[in-house]
Amino acid sequence: MRLHMRNLNLFLILLLLGLHLCSVLSWKRDEFRNCNQTPFCKHARSRKPGSCSLIAHHVSISDGELTAKLLPKNQDNVEDHDQIQPLVLTLSVYQDGILRLKIDEDPSLGPPKKRFEVPDVIVPEFSNTKLWLQRVSTETIEGDAEPSSIVYISDGYEAVLRHDPFEVYVREKGNGNRVISLNSHGIFDFEQLRTKREGEEWEERFRGHTDSRPYGPQSISFDVSFYGADFVYGIPEHATSLALKPTRGPGVEYSEPYRLFNLDVFEYIHDSPFGIYGSIPFMISHGKQRGTSGFFWLNAAEMQIDVMGAGWDAESGIALPSEKNRIDTFWMSEAGIVDTFFFVGPGPKDVVRQYTSVTGMPAMPQLFATAYHQCRWNYRDEEDVDHVDSKFDEHNIPYDVLWLDIEHTDGKRYFTWDSTLFPHPEEMQRKLATKGRHMVTIVDPHIKRDDSYHVHKEATQKGYYVKDAHGNDFDGWCWPGSSSYLDMLSPEIRSWWADRFSLENYVGSTPSLYIWNDMNEPSVFNGPELTMPRDSLHFGGFEHRELHNAYGYYFHMATAEGLVKRGEGKDRPFVLSRALFAGSQRYGAIWTGDNSADWDHLRVSVPMVLTLGLTGMSFSGADVGGFFGNPEPELLVRWYQLGAYYPFFRGHAHHDTKRREPWLFGERNTELIRDAIHVRYMLLPYFYTLFREANTSGVPVVRPLWMEFPSEEATFSNDEAFMVGSSILVQGIYTERAKHASVYLPGGQSWFDLRTGTAYKGGLTHKLGVSEDSVPAFQRAGTIIPRKDRFRRSSTQMVNDPYTLVIALNSSQAAEGELYVDDGKSFEFERGAYIHRRFVFSDGKLTSMNLAPASPGKSQFSSESVVERIVVLGHVHGAKSAVIEPTNRKVDIELGPLWLQWGRESAAAVTIRKPGVRIADNWTIKIL
């Protein structure tokens, strides 16, 4: 009987996995709910403008915040069972132009349960920036029957709480122009928790699954308007254009809202508002008229967001301010509370800085993690690993990380090794480490239900699993078959999980091993929409529906903390996660999931990565070459050429695809891929400096053009090109056999072709010939880029290599740039152990200045690295020599190649050879 049941279970596992893998062949839309099949979304979308009857009462200042009660205007005319309890509203103000609005049920009135507020996303230091409101002023607005309440936000902005009808908005002082508003159209709705009425049906059913919904409807919805906006952006993760298209209104293309619900979606389609692996409910507006503003709703339940097309409210009869270019949006969530943040900008970088001051700055990665990663599902065994590693050396292609997927484990039991395929894991890792390379292994959240598996056994004994609706350990299906999922909402369980990564507990691991969290949406093959049932129970008695979008975030958090613990707090972690939420930027990198080897997916990778960067997730990228399918060599080459500029640069492929390591497509294609990877390695000093900028300001590594050129309308919807920092513009090639590319180069200054040094005028669209050698990329006039031009096996072996500075002069014969250097791995940079230089070229002189603040007793970092070449583009004088100060040493100026590795193929440029100045020193080089 036991044998029979074991065979039956094995059959069921194989059947489920087979069905799961079959879905890889095409995305089946009917496996996932649409808005009409989602009661809270259908209910919210049916509401008409002006349907909200709430008004604000009892407005006062308490504990430095504005508080009020929200009640229906006509409460006396409704039956007792429809009585709405007062909602509690709080407005609080924080430094740097941030307004927070919270609305929740009044706990003193005894609601059936406490509604979920997302913990551990807002960084603790944010609370220290709260402004203590002293008073509230009043003003009668637009002929209202009673005055509105006005509070200070900053010197240029103030918040208005309109009492009747209820509305909250931010306006500019002086002219009164609105920036952002909530409930201007009167669609606010807050379904309060209540007792179930006799005969009432609360259960929901979808494709054979039943959601018990024990607390009934509890959704929230409201409209948010952005004034002076030409476009809105953000709310990842979707495979869509950078500028969000309208989803409702006359003549719109889409009928579904943008969905925020973390899902394991195979081979997602490339142009859809459908949600995929991550959810960040943060939207940015931008326009020439007003600038930039932002709105963030801290809520981890399923969310649906409509972008309204012009004229959607034509029949509403609501008179709104007649300012130009207002964009209306509609936000709907299944549960939670209103906990929203208004960011006033006014510039793009201001908004991103304001948002990341709430949710945290991006983590500073180790240097190796910013280089090239080689991955496949799966490298078969230790011999395969050794072969791939040696082939990179044979073909003179650098790489830093080799990855192992689920097949490296003993029967899909994480923290184990298949003893036949990987009998010597520590030796394997040490071989890579001798070349400065690292390994990453996968650790997913599903724990195999096997009593002989130590992780499962201990988690069961401690009661650490998520529970089903009946209070039993939840049992779902994933790669190992029957699996349970750790309740990562609990700090105790996260701490226990972190301990699993110690060298003692993770047998076979070494300090050079890092981690990949996949399937952490969480993916459940036999669950509704391939995820965990919404009525599953978590720590504190909260339902999974209330925190679903944050589950992967907590898993990512715990894993990153595990690597920090492993290194006794000395080394920075590297953890790649597929699922993400607001704040995920604090814990590592993410990637855009299971894309496909086609030109459309190459194309959509750019707006996806740009959107993630705008919403805090600077360290992201797409699988180079496409995860599913077999790319033609031309597509693969073009993807490497573009992917070399992603913040996270990894080649990855499904196990059913043909092998596609860089040397398998003929000598010429190998050369082209090698060149693309070499470009990334040469630019690593520039990238690492940008990662530090993101770490201190939130400004992403790669940026939409409008972030650098916010007043140029031609950039607002351009998502085929992007900026790497403020100095490099990259234009992808997204079609086969392309001979030409149209490239818009913004600004009034010139741009220099990154490969040839050819100058092009800014402010124009250029039709350029395209070669197979590279995608179009340009250095902006007025900038200085640090490079390292020597070839090494890995970034770790480049640490002491000399630098090249490439100076692109503007029309004033001036330029500037920065270089940030630290030890590349530890947290000592947080204690001041780094070098941060500013280079300024002006009046024929290049000066290196220290940007690192001086503080007594801080940690020290030193470097003996020198500058071996200085390349000057756009220099108008026939200089022959230069003098280095303060040593008063003279060096020659000559014409030299812009790129050493291309030799005679590279353009000649004015070059100062071997100036020999140390990057850590102050110095000046004067061209004579």
Side-chain angles (χ1 to χ4, degrees):
M1 181 64 181
R2 285 183 180 175
L3 181 62
H4 171 74
M5 288 304 298
R6 189 179 303 141
N7 290 339
L8 178 61
N9 286 338
L10 179 60
F11 170 77
L12 289 172
I13 291 171
L14 293 173
L15 177 63
L16 275 166
L17 294 183
L19 290 172
H20 185 66
L21 290 173
C22 284
S23 68
V24 164
L25 300 177
S26 62
W27 177 48
K28 297 179 181 177
R29 184 184 296 271
D30 62 355
E31 289 182 352
F32 304 99
R33 303 202 301 184
N34 60 37
C35 183
N36 280 333
Q37 296 167 319
T38 307
F40 82 86
C41 185
K42 185 177 181 180
H43 163 77
R45 263 188 160 189
S46 70
R47 289 173 61 80
K48 303 298 183 184
S51 56
C52 174
S53 64
L54 296 177
I55 59 176
H57 287 278
H58 309 300
V59 178
S60 64
I61 296 291
S62 175
D63 293 329
E65 301 172 330
L66 181 150
T67 63
K69 296 291 182 69
L70 295 180
L71 273 172
K73 192 170 187 176
N74 301 313
Q75 182 84 329
D76 295 338
N77 299 326
V78 298
E79 297 182 20
D80 287 344
H81 65 75
D82 289 325
Q83 288 284 330
I84 297 176
Q85 299 290 346
L87 297 171
V88 178
L89 176 149
T90 305
L91 275 180
S92 48
V93 178
Y94 297 82
Q95 294 172 12
D96 199 21
I98 300 173
L99 175 71
R100 185 179 191 181
L101 167 65
K102 295 184 73 172
I103 302 175
D104 196 0
E105 300 190 50
D106 189 338
S108 68
L109 299 178
K113 62 167 288 194
K114 175 178 169 54
R115 298 176 78 109
F116 183 67
E117 296 186 52
V118 186
D120 305 306
V121 168
I122 299 175
V123 292
E125 54 267 29
F126 177 69
S127 62
N128 299 330
T129 68
K130 181 179 173 181
L131 301 181
W132 199 263
L133 298 178
Q134 300 294 328
R135 62 186 180 86
V136 57
S137 59
T138 59
E139 177 185 330
T140 301
I141 294 173
E142 301 166 2
D144 288 354
E146 63 174 283
S148 296
S149 300
I150 318 294
V151 296
Y152 169 92
I153 295 180
S154 68
D155 290 343
Y157 301 92
E158 53 196 6
V160 178
L161 169 60
R162 197 174 176 191
H163 298 189
D164 181 10
F166 160 61
E167 180 187 12
V168 175
Y169 63 89
V170 174
R171 71 183 183 187
E172 295 176 349
K173 282 185 181 177
N175 59 29
N177 289 338
R178 292 182 175 212
V179 179
I180 313 172
S181 68
L182 184 144
N183 203 38
S184 296
H185 289 274
I187 323 180
F188 182 89
D189 186 38
F190 193 113
E191 292 189 296
Q192 297 186 7
L193 294 165
R194 57 178 174 80
T195 304
K196 190 175 184 180
R197 299 170 192 147
E198 186 176 350
E200 192 172 14
E201 178 62 60
W202 278 358
E203 290 184 343
E204 290 181 8
R205 294 171 181 82
F206 178 72
R207 289 179 61 86
H209 297 278
T210 299
D211 175 5
S212 63
R213 288 216 306 172
Y215 297 99
Q218 49 187 297
S219 69
I220 302 170
S221 57
F222 48 77
D223 55 282
V224 176
S225 297
F226 299 89
Y227 297 81
D230 293 315
F231 295 99
V232 289
Y233 314 85
I235 58 169
E237 189 176 24
H238 306 95
T240 56
S241 58
L242 176 65
L244 297 172
K245 300 174 184 177
T247 57
R248 280 176 71 184
V252 300
E253 182 179 349
Y254 294 134
S255 59
E256 285 294 307
Y258 290 97
R259 190 182 189 192
L260 293 181
F261 190 63
N262 293 9
L263 289 170
D264 180 1
V265 182
F266 301 95
E267 204 168 14
Y268 54 84
I269 57 178
H270 73 275
D271 188 15
S272 169
F274 192 81
I276 46 178
Y277 312 98
S279 301
I280 301 179
F282 171 43
M283 184 178 284
I284 296 177
S285 79
H286 183 71
K288 187 174 183 179
Q289 179 184 351
R290 207 236 131 229
T292 317
S293 60
F295 179 81
F296 169 50
W297 186 4
L298 179 55
N299 187 326
E302 178 180 357
M303 202 176 290
Q304 305 262 5
I305 302 170
D306 272 316
V307 176
M308 316 303 255
W312 74 274
D313 59 343
E315 300 177 2
S316 70
I318 295 177
L320 288 176
S322 58
E323 299 173 32
K324 293 180 181 178
N325 301 354
R326 187 187 76 241
I327 295 182
D328 299 323
T329 60
F330 186 42
W331 300 61
M332 306 161 271
S333 180
E334 183 182 13
I337 69 166
V338 175
D339 190 359
T340 59
F341 297 78
F342 299 69
F343 306 110
V344 301
K349 294 179 183 179
D350 298 321
V351 171
V352 175
R353 184 188 69 248
Q354 290 157 1
Y355 168 74
T356 49
S357 73
V358 175
T359 61
M361 297 296 167
M364 186 65 192
Q366 288 203 37
L367 176 62
F368 82 81
T370 69
Y372 176 64
H373 301 244
Q374 182 66 35
C375 183
R376 180 177 178 80
W377 178 19
N378 203 84
Y379 287 114
R380 294 184 300 269
D381 50 30
E382 290 177 3
E383 183 180 357
D384 196 9
V385 167
D386 186 64
H387 174 76
V388 170
D389 176 66
S390 64
K391 279 291 186 179
F392 271 94
D393 294 337
E394 179 184 328
H395 291 279
N396 193 26
I397 302 173
Y399 87 101
D400 268 66
V401 193
L402 194 135
W403 294 54
L404 294 179
D405 210 315
I406 54 177
E407 314 304 336
H408 82 276
T409 62
D410 177 12
K412 313 299 188 295
R413 300 170 182 87
Y414 300 109
F415 306 103
T416 69
W417 303 84
D418 184 306
S419 59
T420 301
L421 302 178
F422 296 92
H424 310 105
E426 293 174 78
E427 181 183 345
M428 174 178 63
Q429 294 162 58
R430 280 193 288 267
K431 281 183 180 178
L432 296 176
T434 59
K435 301 176 183 178
R437 291 170 178 158
H438 304 76
M439 177 162 274
V440 165
T441 53
I442 198 166
V443 178
D444 290 350
H446 45 262
I447 305 300
K448 184 171 185 175
R449 294 184 59 82
D450 176 352
D451 290 339
S452 65
Y453 177 29
H454 64 282
V455 177
H456 169 67
K457 185 176 181 180
E458 189 172 348
T460 302
Q461 290 171 347
K462 292 178 177 289
Y464 280 174
Y465 285 134
V466 175
K467 303 298 186 280
D468 64 22
H470 306 289
N472 303 312
D473 286 352
F474 173 72
D475 184 351
W477 294 80
C478 207
W479 298 125
S482 178
S483 305
S484 287
Y485 296 72
L486 292 161
D487 186 359
M488 289 299 178
L489 184 61
S490 163
E492 176 187 329
I493 297 171
R494 291 200 301 268
S495 179
W496 175 83
W497 178 253
D499 289 336
R500 300 311 97 203
F501 293 91
S502 71
L503 298 178
E504 178 184 5
N505 287 328
Y506 190 173
V507 176
S509 67
T510 70
S512 64
L513 181 72
Y514 294 86
I515 301 299
W516 173 15
N517 290 160
D518 198 0
M519 316 295 286
N520 55 335
E521 292 72 31
S523 177
V524 181
F525 294 165
N526 63 334
E529 301 189 276
L530 301 178
T531 192
M532 187 174 285
R534 297 171 192 240
D535 55 4
S536 303
L537 297 172
H538 288 264
F539 173 73
F542 294 108
E543 291 185 283
H544 187 71
R545 82 180 73 255
E546 301 174 90
L547 59 98
H548 170 80
N549 286 345
Y551 181 87
Y553 165 78
Y554 294 118
F555 192 77
H556 195 188
M557 175 196 298
T559 302
E561 179 57 30
L563 294 189
V564 173
K565 276 187 175 183
R566 180 188 74 179
E568 299 179 341
K570 296 176 183 177
D571 290 336
R572 301 171 222 164
F574 173 75
V575 183
L576 180 78
S577 173
R578 188 169 72 176
L580 64 137
F581 188 66
S584 288
Q585 66 269 13
R586 307 203 303 267
Y587 301 108
I590 68 102
W591 90 108
T592 61
D594 298 345
N595 60 356
S596 299
D598 61 52
W599 292 93
D600 287 333
H601 274 258
L602 171 61
R603 165 70 180 80
V604 82
S605 72
V606 173
M608 292 180 78
V609 169
L610 289 175
T611 299
L612 288 163
L614 284 175
T615 54
M617 281 303 315
S618 191
F619 200 4
S620 71
D623 282 346
V624 170
F627 180 64
F628 291 116
N630 298 302
E632 293 300 317
E634 182 188 5
L635 172 60
L636 184 62
V637 167
R638 289 300 190 202
W639 213 318
Y640 269 99
Q641 291 170 344
L642 184 75
Y645 297 98
Y646 292 155
F648 175 60
F649 182 26
R650 180 182 76 156
H652 187 208
H654 189 274
H655 62 57
D656 287 341
T657 64
K658 298 175 183 177
R659 293 293 286 256
R660 63 166 88 140
E661 285 76 33
W663 49 86
L664 296 176
F665 297 87
E667 186 175 342
R668 178 55 178 160
N669 290 315
T670 300
E671 180 183 7
L672 293 171
I673 294 173
R674 179 195 302 116
D675 283 353
I677 295 175
H678 277 158
V679 167
R680 174 53 166 252
Y681 275 80
M682 284 184 285
L683 290 174
L684 280 179
Y686 179 63
F687 270 91
Y688 198 65
T689 301
L690 294 174
F691 275 104
R692 176 57 169 167
E693 181 183 359
N695 173 245
T696 56
S697 70
V699 176
V701 172
V702 298
R703 308 160 187 178
L705 303 186
W706 56 261
M707 180 168 271
E708 291 297 326
F709 302 92
S711 64
E712 293 202 36
E713 293 178 76
T715 68
F716 292 178
S717 60
N718 185 336
D719 56 11
E720 292 198 345
F722 57 92
M723 296 294 297
V724 182
S726 60
S727 303
I728 294 176
L729 183 150
V730 178
Q731 168 73 49
I733 300 297
Y734 308 111
T735 56
E736 293 180 81
R737 296 181 292 278
K739 301 300 181 185
H740 298 90
S742 292
V743 184
Y744 178 71
L745 298 175
Q749 295 289 335
S750 295
W751 294 81
F752 296 89
D753 186 288
L754 213 61
R755 190 178 182 101
T756 67
T758 304
Y760 295 89
K761 288 184 178 180
L764 300 173
T765 298
H766 298 267
K767 185 177 181 180
L768 304 176
V770 172
S771 73
E772 65 176 2
D773 296 332
S774 62
V775 296
F778 306 86
Q779 182 173 348
R780 182 181 180 178
T783 65
I784 300 175
I785 292 177
R787 291 192 332 219
K788 284 192 174 183
D789 290 357
R790 306 223 177 150
F791 293 164
R792 304 292 186 190
R793 290 176 169 177
S794 64
S795 67
T796 316
Q797 298 188 342
M798 297 167 62
V799 168
N800 297 316
D801 283 354
Y803 289 81
T804 293
L805 299 181
V806 182
I807 303 172
L809 298 178
N810 61 20
S811 58
S812 301
Q813 295 285 282
E816 61 180 50
E818 294 183 13
L819 172 65
Y820 173 84
V821 186
D822 60 25
D823 64 18
K825 57 185 179 181
S826 80
F827 288 102
E828 286 300 304
F829 74 98
E830 295 180 345
R831 291 173 277 277
Y834 60 83
I835 295 167
H836 193 185
R837 310 298 299 184
R838 168 162 289 167
F839 305 115
V840 176
F841 189 97
S842 181
D843 298 325
K845 292 192 300 185
L846 174 64
T847 303
S848 174
M849 297 175 286
N850 182 30
L851 287 181
S855 59
K858 72 174 184 178
S859 297
Q860 299 295 317
F861 174 74
S862 61
S863 172
E864 297 300 316
S865 292
V866 300
V867 177
E868 69 171 347
R869 287 201 317 146
I870 298 172
V871 178
V872 186
L873 301 174
H875 194 260
V876 296
H877 302 295
K880 299 297 184 184
S881 62
V883 172
I884 299 172
E885 299 171 351
T887 60
N888 201 32
R889 183 165 55 89
K890 195 172 183 180
V891 293
D892 291 335
I893 293 178
E894 59 188 46
L895 288 179
L898 179 54
W899 298 87
L900 289 176
Q901 84 276 19
W902 289 312
R904 286 172 296 182
E905 298 177 22
S906 180
V910 173
T911 303
I912 303 172
R913 291 189 65 248
K914 297 185 178 179
V917 290
R918 296 172 70 243
I919 60 161
D921 294 344
N922 294 330
W923 42 260
T924 297
I925 300 177
K926 185 173 182 179
I927 294 179
L928 301 178

